[in-house]
Amino acid sequence: MRKAQLLKLIGSLIRAADGDLVNKPSCFPCPTEQHEYYKVIRDCFQVIYTDADYTKSQAFIIEVMGKSDGLIKMRAKMLLTPAKRKSHREKLLAKLSDLNQIDNALVDINVEHEPLFRKAINSLGYCHDT
């Protein structure tokens, strides 16, 4: 499986709430020696996706830098509606699931999840196209 295919598959499984299928080699096509790396990527992406909050991202911090507290609070409130939060999560997962866009996902990830992102990218480096 190519890395691009792996990312798309993991993203699709997370979106469908079926990420646990990565645990079953019979359901998830992967070389045995790479299975643990696939699970690490899935675990990291699952947390990043589930907890995604634009107001905790580098992009938001840059957007509101130098703005008044009132404006920051108003902007944050607007972004925390269920529709906006879902939209952000879906856009983020699309970037995480696309080998050509994955580096662009870093600014949209909660700042506290940057180590998870780096761990996933490191694990992806150990996955070889088959």
Side-chain angles (χ1 to χ4, degrees), residues 16-77:
D18 283 333
D20 60 327
L21 290 178
V22 176
N23 295 336
K24 300 179 182 180
S26 61
C27 296
F28 196 81
C30 63
T32 305
E33 66 277 3
Q34 293 184 35
H35 196 227
E36 288 304 312
Y37 297 119
Y38 290 14
K39 289 192 290 187
V40 168
I41 296 167
R42 183 268 329 265
D43 291 346
C44 292
F45 283 6
Q46 181 70 54
V47 171
I48 290 168
Y49 172 74
T50 301
D51 294 350
D53 179 346
Y54 184 75
T55 65
K56 295 179 180 179
S57 71
Q58 286 181 14
F60 182 75
I61 293 167
I62 292 167
E63 178 184 328
V64 298
M65 194 176 298
K67 307 291 188 218
S68 70
D69 288 344
L71 181 68
I72 293 170
K73 288 177 185 175
M74 181 184 72
R75 181 76 176 124
K77 187 176 179 180

Side-chain angles (χ1 to χ4, degrees), residues 7-22 27-28 42 46 93:
L7 291 174
K8 285 198 182 302
L9 182 55
I10 289 176
S12 295
L13 291 172
I14 290 171
R15 187 174 293 108
D18 283 333
D20 60 327
L21 290 178
V22 176
C27 296
F28 196 81
R42 183 268 329 265
Q46 181 70 54
L93 188 58

Side-chain angles (χ1 to χ4, degrees), residues 79-92:
L79 292 168
L80 292 176
T81 65
K84 293 281 188 183
R85 186 157 185 204
K86 181 179 179 183
S87 173
H88 172 67
R89 288 174 59 196
E90 292 304 318
K91 288 177 186 175
L92 177 58

